Amino acid sequence: RELGISPDLITYSTVLAALGRAHQSELLIRVFKLMREDERIKPDIRVFSTLIDGLTRANMLSEALGALEEMKRLKLKPNVFTYSSLISGLARARAWSNAGELFLQMRQ
């Protein structure tokens, strides 16, 4: 911002994806919160899906499920990538019933 340049939705999405792949979960959450504080930025399905993917990679499944609920509260419909990330994370954690429930939700 000191340069007169402000991050946009694409910038945030790119940074969130990089942090998720690098397993930088604390920073991932901080950047997402910063984005939410910016009144100009309205998170979309891609941003939430990227956040959820990063959280599941870090095995932060309750936070990822919380992000899914926040997404739904904002009337954003999860897509296949969103559900696949969550189902994969839940399967890695051997949370079979939760993974199955999400699969059934996805099919509705």
Side-chain angles (χ1 to χ4, degrees):
R1 293 186 183 180
E2 294 172 9
L3 300 173
I5 302 170
S6 297
D8 62 7
L9 191 62
I10 294 169
T11 308
Y12 279 110
S13 182
T14 302
V15 170
L16 291 171
L19 293 171
R21 285 191 300 273
H23 300 275
Q24 296 293 314
S25 54
E26 287 181 27
L27 193 51
L28 173 78
I29 292 168
R30 279 185 34 210
V31 169
F32 183 76
K33 286 181 180 179
L34 281 174
M35 183 197 68
R36 296 291 284 140
E37 292 170 3
D38 189 335
E39 295 175 1
R40 300 171 305 111
I41 307 294
K42 302 293 180 223
D44 62 6
I45 294 167
R46 179 179 172 161
V47 168
F48 269 101
S49 295
T50 302
L51 172 68
I52 288 168
D53 183 59
L55 292 170
T56 59
R57 287 174 187 260
N59 204 31
M60 297 178 73
L61 301 176
S62 62
E63 291 84 352
L65 290 167
L68 176 68
E69 292 307 313
E70 182 179 352
M71 186 179 181
K72 290 177 180 178
R73 276 194 303 276
L74 294 172
K75 307 288 189 236
L76 295 171
K77 186 176 179 182
N79 60 21
V80 172
F81 179 76
T82 312
Y83 280 111
S84 295
S85 294
L86 275 166
I87 291 167
S88 177
L90 290 166
R92 280 192 306 273
R94 300 179 187 268
W96 309 118
S97 63
N98 291 6
E101 286 176 33
L102 274 178
F103 177 74
L104 294 175
Q105 279 182 31
M106 182 177 78
R107 294 192 40 111
Q108 292 177 349

